[in-house]
């Protein structure tokens, strides 16, 4: 299910506030045509149905123009009388299997480190089975999966870079009763080549779903191993 609709008017207000102008003055038409076109393409994206995507506040210091989206994959309890299976049993009505963020930055003047006028920045995090935190291939597979997902969606890009991290959290003292957790975290960015921003968003949404362990995956995309599915 998708509930987002990147709002050009809201983006204009954020840009205006960052520049120190009155927040109620600008309108959508004051945005660059290239950024408006990108917003329209993002709005036309069709991410996987399992990913709940919505707009969130965008950073104001990374570029003159920006829009940000957040995705969650929830393991929700089925409606009464529904025979829909759960991915795994849960104690609450719903549980977050994976979450991510997608940010599209735009600088009409370009930035040397980007090699272009747009830059996509993503973040994804999911919890692993406790015993899988020491898997030496996990981070490498996360990066490989990113590359494969972009290719599967035909995303044209350059200057891709990022980090894949395994995070072990243990609690002590008054919090010692909390169970230890192992998470995998992917932070990445790339420079779009041309347009087709909807495919960038769809590829990211697929990544979030895969991190959550949701089948099926498109042919040729490598699944993230050992994602928690108790």
């Amino acid at each position: 299910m998708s509930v987002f609709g990147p709002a050009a008017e809201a983006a204009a207000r954020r840009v205006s506030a960052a520049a120190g102008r009155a927040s109620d003055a600008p309108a959508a038409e004051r945005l660059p045509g290239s950024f408006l076109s990108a917003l329209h393409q993002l709005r036309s994206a069709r991410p996987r149905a399992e990913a709940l995507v919505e707009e969130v506040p965008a950073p104001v210091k990374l570029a003159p123009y920006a829009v940000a989206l957040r995705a969650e994959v929830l393991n929700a309890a089925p409606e009464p009388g529904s025979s829909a299976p759960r991915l795994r049993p849960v104690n609450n009505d719903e549980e977050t299997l994976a979450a991510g963020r997608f940010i599209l930055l735009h600088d009409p003047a370009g930035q040397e480190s980007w090699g272009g006028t747009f830059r996509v920045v993503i973040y994804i995090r999911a919890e692993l089975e406790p015993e899988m935190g020491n898997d030496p291939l996990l981070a490498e597979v996360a990066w490989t999966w990113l590359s494969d997902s972009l290719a599967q969606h035909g995303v044209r890009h350059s200057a891709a870079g990022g980090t894949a991290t395994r995070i072990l959290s243990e609690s002590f003292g008054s919090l010692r009763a909390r169970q230890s957790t192992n998470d995998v975290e992917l932070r990445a960015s790339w420079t779009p080549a041309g347009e087709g921003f909807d495919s960038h968003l769809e590829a990211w949404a697929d990544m979030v779903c895969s991190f959550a362990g949701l089948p099926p995956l498109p042919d040729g995309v490598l699944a993230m191993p050992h994602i928690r599915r108790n």
Side-chain angles (χ1 to χ4, degrees):
M1 177 173 58
S2 175
V3 299
F4 81 89
E9 188 72 31
R13 286 196 296 270
R14 288 195 297 273
V15 171
S16 177
R21 297 190 297 270
S23 61
D24 58 351
E29 57 267 20
R30 297 211 178 178
L31 295 172
S34 54
F35 188 62
L36 277 175
S37 176
L39 292 178
H40 290 316
Q41 292 174 45
L42 292 178
R43 187 179 293 116
S44 68
R46 295 294 181 266
R48 284 183 61 169
E50 300 93 336
L52 176 64
V53 182
E54 59 186 353
E55 187 177 5
V56 295
V60 297
K61 296 182 179 180
L62 300 179
Y65 306 93
V67 62
L69 304 168
R70 185 178 189 274
E72 282 188 330
V73 177
L74 301 177
N75 187 23
E79 295 293 332
S82 171
S83 60
R86 299 182 187 178
L87 291 174
R88 52 175 172 159
V90 294
N91 296 322
N92 302 320
D93 289 339
E94 59 185 24
E95 181 181 10
T96 301
L97 301 178
R101 186 159 295 197
F102 177 100
I103 303 172
L104 179 63
L105 306 173
H106 178 51
D107 186 340
Q111 295 192 17
E112 184 177 356
S113 61
W114 297 359
T117 59
F118 283 95
R119 187 75 174 174
V120 172
V121 180
I122 68 159
Y123 164 84
I124 305 173
R125 183 165 181 161
E127 188 177 347
L128 307 174
E129 290 285 4
E131 64 271 17
M132 299 303 175
N134 292 323
D135 188 334
L137 298 179
L138 185 61
E140 181 178 349
V141 169
W143 183 254
T144 300
W145 190 89
L146 166 65
S147 301
D148 289 348
S149 184
L150 293 176
Q152 179 70 26
H153 284 268
V155 173
R156 298 171 53 220
H157 68 286
S158 63
T163 59
T165 308
R166 294 168 291 171
I167 303 171
L168 172 63
S169 298
E170 297 187 48
S171 301
F172 302 93
S174 62
L175 302 179
R176 63 183 179 276
R178 290 186 179 179
Q179 185 178 4
S180 299
T181 61
N182 284 287
D183 293 349
V184 60
E185 184 177 275
L186 176 66
R187 298 176 183 269
S189 63
W190 61 85
T191 298
E195 296 191 343
F197 293 101
D198 52 338
S199 63
H200 293 255
L201 190 150
E202 290 166 0
W204 160 75
D206 275 0
M207 293 180 220
V208 178
C209 290
S210 184
F211 271 54
L214 297 185
L217 292 170
D219 292 340
V221 176
L222 180 64
M224 174 69 67
H226 311 315
I227 294 299
R228 187 176 181 181
R229 300 186 205 176
N230 290 346

